[in-house]
Amino acid sequence: MLADLRSKYPLHNYERSALIMRDLRVVKSQTEIELTKKACAITKDAFERVLKFTKPGVTEYEIEAEIIHEFTRQRATGHAYNPIIASGKNAIVLHYIDNNQVCNDGDVILFDFGAEYANYNADMSRSIPVNGRFTKRQRDVYDAVLRVMKAAKEMLVEGTIWNEYHDEVGKVMTDELIGLGLLTRHDVEKQDPKIPAYKKYFMHGTSHHLGLDVHDFASRYKPFEVGNILTCEPGIYIPAEGLGIRLENNILITKGGNVDLMADIPLEAEHIEEIMNS
Ligand SMILES: [Mn+2]
């Protein structure tokens, strides 16, 4: 295209816009924030619909149909990305999008879905018990992920440096994995700092920018600024137990703190159970 433009319009100057666009799109305007909030609100309604719909024996694709029904009904332009509805051991597959299995009694389903509204995206993850009640072990893992999420959220503020943030979250996660009996102090002492031991159970990043793209364009070397919207999405995946739990909210950085754009979407395990059993 560039060669074509150059031959048709040889007197113009051509420069790359990416460097300018990258800095412009990473700081959201009020309108962009409102559209993202709307995408989050539609995602909330779809999740609450799913909470009431899910029971042993339903299939992952039936749940997917519930989600798109709610999205379309509210004029979302569709899924922000291929939705993940991963019950039981399917949750171990990070980008599982087959969504074709039966949800069995006793399993946890990991959801990762979000609405797209007017080109802006929501990106939410939740993990719920198929039968409406977590087992003791599922609940312990769930609460560990939730504590990491809450600690990570605190760090999503103006001035935070990308790498330092991920290192700090890694430390919190390491302690939780020791608490769950998945790692030992010895594992951590002998770990290769380049591939910390926690990566065995938490092998993806904690956050990414969110905007016009679900994984929005941004410099990794610029500290977080007011107006950034980032995901916060720790997870623990235990193949031997057929269990994967991820929780993800979307966070707007504001002057002196942040605002959780998904603060009203059920998150605490007790709240999830209460809605499923109501
Ligand atoms: Mn995400």
Side-chain angles (χ1 to χ4, degrees), residues 20 91 111 146 168 177 208 231 235 260:
I20 302 164
F111 298 112
L146 186 55
E168 286 306 311
L177 291 172
H208 57 81
T231 66
D260 187 338

Side-chain angles (χ1 to χ4, degrees), residues 162-182:
W162 191 263
N163 284 343
E164 291 175 8
Y165 166 69
H166 279 95
D167 288 350
E168 286 306 311
V169 176
K171 287 178 199 161
V172 180
M173 179 58 89
T174 300
D175 286 340
E176 291 293 349
L177 291 172
I178 291 170
L180 290 168
L182 293 166

